[in-house]
């Protein structure tokens, strides 16, 4: 062994955090530190008998304290903190902190301190190209008959029956019967109910999952009735459509207010009939259910990208996120975008990984149903093609590329079967079907404010800032001017993106690139708002990005916990089972950091949803609920529902909302000032509501009904008072 050199002495000091800390302590105590210097460990060099090349066997990586990891986390959190509103000049410091965090993360990754959980292994499958000809022919015939019978924008018993038969025969023609897995436990339902005793096993992991579910359900449903408290014109449009269904009008596409797809409307109508009536709560509950049903697929995607823990972390942080919560609580179809984007992405990735035809049928089902849900989902067919393009660039050979194109065709065919009713409407009424999307994409509604070469990069940049800087200015379903993510999720998201980029550069995995590109792909409905670039970004049109964004959040956190709890040898073998006494504090440290991050994230999101969002929404929305209460009180006193009116005024309340609050849905109680004299001929009590700014209406009512009673309704919200003018039957 050679004598130690100066370089060996320096290396012994800076090889890890413990060595550096001990050196400082020894230096402070004036102890001799030269004995620390040891010569570099010998490196064994062998010759490979097959190739005569040198094989260098290096010593195992040191099990040092993960100071780089903790520094990365601290820098990222500090950087994201500076991006919180109100922003100051400190935001520039935040950019520098993030750059330092990224550099430190790259260093930690290259040093082996950051350990990413590997993605699921590719499972080459045996593709069966067989098709059951009889069911396939019947599927084609019934599909054609369905398309013909879906005319006139109306669902009937006949065309729905034909549609269901076409779906059944199509699935019968293409679905492959798979042998039941022997690894799955068999469940005897009869024995379960006839048994005199049940043995229930409760594990720690099961309790943790149950606690996680309870936290998420609480966060998504707590104060659902009053957060947000008021409806807008969008809600009036949806409730009018729901009311039409309850009155027997079964439309395929609802053309009111530039049009909307049927799935959400029919589910709301069903829920209204069974539970809550045609109300704001109905719209909220169905939207929240859509959001909750998205979470299992986020979990499954997390498993595809590494482990159960990644899936659970993604679900947990998405479950308590301010962004998913407010777009659901607003009570529109927004949550149906991620609801069907998640399974579409999941089955495509799993299908390509397992080479299984059934997965692409399931992806086609999710795609086809999703097209019946929310207009921004129409970007998904293009996203699907792009995702297959990513796979083609990484496919191992020509046969794999050819097979993937067959799968893409099957996926498209499947989705069309579920899209047939809207496809018929699109052919029959093309202008109405495409108007909403093209009003943002093209010059249908107004000229483009700038050349495309300026608009597209600007919209891409604004969309990229959505998660960590600026989520738009639409107050009804966001908090204007703030990031879409909280401080913890925002920092972990950028760390996850950085790590995935590093891993992709090193491994060229198509799954990693798919996940990264899914973020801008799912944002495209907002990015393509070229005629109205001020509407980009918007949390509603980028709603499906919730899926890949929170997966990246989970990957960032999972890697962080790996680096604290677990190190790896140079050859990649886990050392968790080795030297447990030396690493005894690591699990405790990892768990403590996770709990602190979760509690901080939960507290901030809770404050954002139940205080900041609630207060700003309440101050901005007109108080139609209070007008509905006045209307209901009038009706309870014997007044006729047909003799209560609201006088419209520019930029004031929607006159269709008060009847829904009063329990008399489907009415528009607006009365123009010119039509007020016609009410004199009506007998019975009468009631008018109008804004404090409408002096013309006040003058006209006093002239026509001099014995009427004028009162000012004092709203619970400042600057939301209105006048109530009551005329007794004797007048």
């Amino acid at each position: 062994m050679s004598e130690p050199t100066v370089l060996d002495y320096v290396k012994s000091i800076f090889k890890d955090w413990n060595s550096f800390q001990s050196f400082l302590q020894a230096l402070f105590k004036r102890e001799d530190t030269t004995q620390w210097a040891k010569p570099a460990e010998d490196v064994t060099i062998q010759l490979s008998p097959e190739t005569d090349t040198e094989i260098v066997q290096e010593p195992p990586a040191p099990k040092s304290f993960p100071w780089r990891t903790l520094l990365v986390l601290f820098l990222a959190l500090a950087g994201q903190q500076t991006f919180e509103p109100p922003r100051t000049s400190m935001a520039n410091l935040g950019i520098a902190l993030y750059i330092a965090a990224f550099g430190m993360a790259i260093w930690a990754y290259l040093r082996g301190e950051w350990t990413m959980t590997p993605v699921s292994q590719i499972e080459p499958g045996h593709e069966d190209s067989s098709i059951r000809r009889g069911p396939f022919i019947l599927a084609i015939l019934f599909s054609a008959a369905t398309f013909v019978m879906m005319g006139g924008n109306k669902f009937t018993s006949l065309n729905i029956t034909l549609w269901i038969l076409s779906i059944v025969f199509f699935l019968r023609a293409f679905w492959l019967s798979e042998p039941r897995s022997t690894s799955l436990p068999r469940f005897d339902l009869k024995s379960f109910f006839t048994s005199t005793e049940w043995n229930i096993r409760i594990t720690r992991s099961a309790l943790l999952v149950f606690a996680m579910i309870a936290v998420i359900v609480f966060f998504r449903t707590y104060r659902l009735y009053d957060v947000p408290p008021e409806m807008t014109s969008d809600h009036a449009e949806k409730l009018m459509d729901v009311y039409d269904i309850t009155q027997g009008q079964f439309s395929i596409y609802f053309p009111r207010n530039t049009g909307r797809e049927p799935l959400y409307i029919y589910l709301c109508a069903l829920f209204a009939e069974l539970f809550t009536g045609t109300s704001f709560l109905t719209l909220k509950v169905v939207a929240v259910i859509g959001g909750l049903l998205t979470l299992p697929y986020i979990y499954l995607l997390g498993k595809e990208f590494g482990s159960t823990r990644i899936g659970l972390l993604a679900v947990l942080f998405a479950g308590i996120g301010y962004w998913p919560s407010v777009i659901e609580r607003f009570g529109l179809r927004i949550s149906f975008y991620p609801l069907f984007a998640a399974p579409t992405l999941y089955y495509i990735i799993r299908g390509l990984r397992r080479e299984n035809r059934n997965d692409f049928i399931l992806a086609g089902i999710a795609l086809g149903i999703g097209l019946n849900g929310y207009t921004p989902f129409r970007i998904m067919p293009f996203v699907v093609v792009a995702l297959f393009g990513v796979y083609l660039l990484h496919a191992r050979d020509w046969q794999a590329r050819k097979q993937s194109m067959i799968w893409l065709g099957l996926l498209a065919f499947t989705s069309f079967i579920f899209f047939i009713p809207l496809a018929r409407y699109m052919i029959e009424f093309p202008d109405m079907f495409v108007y909403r999307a093209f009003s943002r994409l093209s010059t249908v509604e107004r000229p483009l404010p700038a050349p495309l070469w300026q608009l597209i990069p600007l919209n891409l940049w604004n969309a990229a800032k959505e998660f960590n800087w600026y989520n738009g200015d639409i107050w009804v379903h966001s908090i204007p001017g703030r990031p879409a993510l909280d401080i913890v999720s925002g920092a972990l998201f950028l760390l996850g993106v950085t790590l995935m980029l590093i891993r992709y550069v090193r491994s060229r995995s198509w799954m990693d690139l798919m996940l990264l590109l899914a973020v801008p792909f799912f944002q495209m409905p907002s990015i393509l708002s070229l005629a109205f670039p001020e509407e980009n970004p918007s949390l509603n049109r980028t709603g499906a990005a919730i899926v890949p964004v929170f997966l990246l959040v989970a990957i960032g956190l999972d890697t962080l916990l790996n680096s604290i709890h677990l190190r790896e040898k140079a050859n990649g073998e886990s050392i968790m089972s080795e030297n447990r006494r030396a690493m005894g504090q690591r699990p405790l440290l990892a768990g403590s950091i996770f709990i602190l991050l979760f509690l901080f994230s939960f507290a901030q999101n809770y404050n954002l949803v139940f205080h900041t969002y609630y207060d700003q929404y309440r101050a901005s929305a007109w108080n139609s609920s209070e007008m509905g209460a006045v209307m209901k009180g009038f009706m309870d006193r014997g007044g006729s529902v047909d003799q209560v009116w609201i006088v419209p005024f520019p930029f004031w309340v929607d006159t269709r909302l008060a009847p829904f609050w009063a329990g008399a849905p489907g009415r528009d109680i607006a009365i123009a000032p010119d039509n007020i004299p016609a009410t004199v001929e009506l007998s019975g009590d009468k009631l008018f509501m109008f804004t404090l700014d409408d002096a013309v209406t006040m003058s006209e009512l006093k002239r026509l009904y001099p014995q009427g009673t004028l009162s000012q309704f004092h709203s619970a919200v400042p600057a939301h008072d209105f006048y109530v003018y009551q005329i007794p039957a004797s007048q």
Side-chain angles (χ1 to χ4, degrees):
M1 180 179 295
S2 59
E3 291 296 323
T5 64
V6 175
L7 180 59
D8 294 329
Y9 178 68
V10 174
K11 287 182 177 179
S12 68
I13 296 174
F14 293 100
K15 66 179 182 179
D16 54 46
W17 176 257
N18 291 333
S19 299
F20 182 65
Q21 189 179 36
S22 299
F23 169 76
L24 292 178
Q25 293 174 353
L27 196 64
F28 180 77
K29 296 177 181 179
R30 299 183 179 181
E31 296 176 354
D32 181 20
T33 59
T34 57
Q35 72 273 12
W36 291 1
K38 297 180 180 179
E41 297 184 54
D42 294 335
V43 177
T44 304
I45 301 179
Q46 299 177 347
L47 291 180
S48 171
E50 292 83 6
T51 61
D52 291 334
T53 58
E54 293 183 352
I55 301 176
V56 180
Q57 295 181 347
E58 298 180 352
K63 310 173 187 64
S64 60
F65 184 78
W67 61 273
R68 300 179 189 86
T69 297
L70 298 180
L71 185 57
V72 168
L73 178 62
F74 173 78
L75 291 172
L77 291 174
Q80 187 60 43
Q81 172 65 52
T82 66
F83 295 167
E84 286 288 303
R87 300 184 184 94
T88 63
S89 58
M90 292 292 290
N92 293 326
L93 174 61
I95 297 174
L97 290 172
Y98 258 126
I99 293 174
F102 297 151
M104 186 65 68
I106 294 172
W107 183 26
Y109 184 88
L110 295 177
R111 291 280 299 180
E113 184 173 309
W114 278 62
T115 306
M116 295 187 69
T117 303
V119 298
S120 301
Q121 296 297 314
I122 303 298
E123 301 176 11
H126 174 68
E127 176 58 25
D128 185 351
S129 59
S130 62
I131 300 175
R132 299 179 180 92
R133 295 184 180 180
F136 177 71
I137 294 174
L138 290 174
I140 297 297
L141 294 176
F142 280 114
S143 297
T146 301
F147 187 85
V148 172
M149 299 303 296
M150 285 286 179
N153 190 29
K154 185 177 181 181
F155 281 122
T156 65
S157 299
L158 176 59
N159 60 29
I160 289 178
T161 301
L162 293 172
W163 188 26
I164 293 174
L165 289 173
S166 66
I167 293 172
V168 170
F169 284 115
F170 176 85
L171 295 178
R172 175 61 181 163
F174 287 96
W175 187 266
L176 296 176
S177 298
E178 297 179 344
R180 180 174 297 178
S181 174
T182 57
S183 62
L184 295 177
R186 297 186 63 182
F187 181 71
D188 190 340
L189 188 63
K190 181 179 179 180
S191 299
F192 178 79
F193 284 105
T194 57
S195 176
T196 57
E197 62 179 23
W198 295 334
N199 295 321
I200 301 176
R201 183 186 177 197
I202 300 176
T203 63
R204 182 175 60 180
S205 59
L207 287 175
L208 290 174
V209 171
F210 179 80
M212 183 188 74
I213 294 173
V215 169
I216 292 172
V217 172
F218 164 80
F219 199 90
R220 295 291 182 89
T221 60
Y222 175 60
R223 293 180 57 192
L224 187 59
Y225 183 83
D226 65 332
V227 180
E230 298 288 349
M231 290 190 281
T232 67
S233 291
D234 280 332
H235 300 109
E237 304 288 352
K238 306 301 183 295
L239 288 177
M240 293 297 286
D241 290 336
V242 171
Y243 180 76
D244 288 344
I245 293 174
T246 63
Q247 301 304 302
Q249 184 177 331
F250 304 116
S251 300
I252 295 173
Y253 190 79
F254 295 86
R256 185 182 280 114
N257 189 30
T258 71
R260 59 192 53 81
E261 292 77 8
L263 180 60
Y264 175 75
I265 308 299
Y266 277 97
L267 289 176
C268 286
L270 176 62
F271 202 89
E273 286 291 308
L274 296 177
F275 303 107
T276 53
T278 310
S279 65
F280 191 18
L281 184 60
T282 296
L283 300 180
K284 290 180 179 181
V285 170
V286 175
V288 168
I289 290 174
L292 291 174
L293 291 177
T294 306
L295 298 179
Y297 279 101
I298 293 179
Y299 166 75
L300 292 173
L301 278 165
K303 291 185 65 177
E304 288 292 311
F305 280 94
S307 67
T308 297
R309 186 169 74 176
I310 291 177
L312 292 176
L313 290 174
V315 168
L316 180 61
F317 280 86
I320 64 170
Y322 131 79
W323 173 18
S325 183
V326 295
I327 65 174
E328 294 168 20
R329 288 173 173 274
F330 185 52
L332 299 182
R333 304 167 294 154
I334 304 171
S335 64
F336 278 44
Y337 185 15
L339 171 60
F340 294 103
T344 302
L345 179 63
Y346 168 69
Y347 287 120
I348 288 175
I349 290 177
R350 192 179 75 159
L352 292 172
R353 185 179 64 80
R354 300 196 315 165
E355 300 181 355
N356 187 299
R357 185 167 84 184
N358 288 351
D359 286 322
F360 299 104
I361 295 176
L362 293 171
I365 293 173
L367 178 62
I369 297 177
L371 290 169
N372 291 274
Y374 186 37
T375 305
F377 193 86
R378 295 179 192 176
I379 198 67
M380 281 302 296
F382 302 97
V383 171
V384 168
V385 173
L387 294 176
F388 271 85
V390 170
Y391 178 79
L392 288 173
L393 293 174
H394 297 77
R396 59 185 181 274
D397 52 40
W398 167 249
Q399 182 61 32
R401 296 186 183 95
K402 178 182 176 181
Q403 188 61 59
S404 67
M405 296 307 296
I406 295 174
W407 289 330
L408 177 60
L410 176 61
L411 190 158
F413 193 4
T414 306
S415 65
F416 178 77
I417 296 293
F418 287 84
F419 184 66
I420 287 176
L422 280 180
R424 176 56 193 268
Y425 181 88
M426 180 177 65
I427 298 298
E428 201 169 356
F429 306 97
D431 293 340
M432 177 58 68
F433 186 77
V434 302
Y435 176 79
R436 181 66 177 175
F438 275 77
S439 67
R440 267 55 193 163
L441 178 63
S442 66
T443 59
V444 170
E445 195 164 314
R446 79 175 191 184
L448 298 182
L452 283 177
W453 64 270
Q454 294 179 3
L455 287 173
I456 293 177
L458 176 65
N459 276 13
L460 285 169
W461 173 240
N462 287 337
K465 296 187 296 182
E466 174 183 1
F467 315 113
N468 298 84
W469 182 266
Y470 171 78
N471 65 190
D473 288 324
I474 305 175
W475 61 267
V476 294
H477 52 60
S478 69
I479 299 173
R482 68 154 290 105
L485 300 176
D486 60 274
I487 294 173
V488 172
S489 297
L492 293 174
F493 166 69
L494 289 184
L495 291 178
V497 170
T498 302
L499 291 165
M500 291 293 280
L501 284 171
I502 296 172
R503 188 167 74 177
Y504 175 72
V505 170
R506 293 168 67 94
S507 66
R508 295 293 194 275
S509 168
W510 57 267
M511 289 179 62
D512 290 348
L513 187 58
M514 271 192 188
L515 183 61
L516 289 168
L517 291 179
V519 177
F521 286 168
F522 289 163
Q523 289 180 291
M524 277 298 162
S526 179
I527 294 171
L528 293 177
S529 183
L530 302 177
F532 295 86
E534 65 274 11
E535 296 180 0
N536 172 63
S538 59
L539 294 189
N540 59 327
R541 296 178 193 155
T542 61
I546 287 170
V547 178
V549 163
F550 281 98
L551 284 170
L552 289 166
V553 169
I555 289 171
L557 181 54
D558 178 74
T559 306
L560 175 78
L561 298 177
N562 281 344
S563 65
I564 297 173
H565 185 275
L566 152 71
R567 293 293 309 280
E568 293 190 354
K569 290 182 179 180
N571 62 1
E573 296 177 2
S574 171
I575 64 166
M576 180 178 287
S577 60
E578 299 181 12
N579 302 318
R580 288 189 178 272
R581 181 174 301 176
M583 298 177 62
Q585 302 302 317
R586 293 287 186 86
L588 179 62
L589 176 61
S592 299
I593 290 176
F594 164 72
I595 292 173
L596 289 174
L597 291 176
F598 167 73
L599 292 177
F600 187 83
S601 177
F602 182 90
Q604 186 185 10
N605 284 301
Y606 183 93
N607 182 66
L608 289 174
V609 174
F610 299 108
H611 293 105
T612 307
Y613 174 68
Y614 172 75
D615 292 340
Q616 63 133 52
Y617 190 106
R618 187 165 175 258
S620 301
W622 289 113
N623 49 329
S624 61
S625 62
E626 293 179 327
M627 299 175 195
V630 172
M631 179 179 178
K632 189 175 188 306
F634 174 78
M635 294 162 54
D636 291 343
R637 294 190 300 271
S640 171
V641 68
D642 296 320
Q643 294 193 182
V644 53
W645 300 278
I646 294 177
V647 183
F649 198 81
F651 309 108
W652 198 43
V653 70
D654 191 308
T655 55
R656 297 168 295 178
L657 293 175
F660 285 107
W661 290 111
R667 291 173 170 81
D668 186 350
I669 59 173
I671 183 169
D674 294 342
N675 294 332
I676 294 177
T679 65
V680 174
E681 304 299 326
L682 301 175
S683 60
D685 295 343
K686 303 163 194 175
L687 184 143
F688 295 85
M689 290 176 279
F690 57 100
T691 178
L692 302 184
D693 299 324
D694 193 353
V696 174
T697 295
M698 179 185 290
S699 176
E700 181 70 358
L701 287 172
K702 286 184 176 181
R703 183 184 69 83
L704 294 172
Y705 300 103
Q707 303 303 319
T709 302
L710 176 68
S711 62
Q712 181 173 335
F713 184 92
H714 296 285
S715 173
V717 183
H720 283 60
D721 293 1
F722 56 92
Y723 284 132
V724 178
Y725 201 86
Q726 300 186 65
I727 300 97
S730 59
Q731 292 289 306

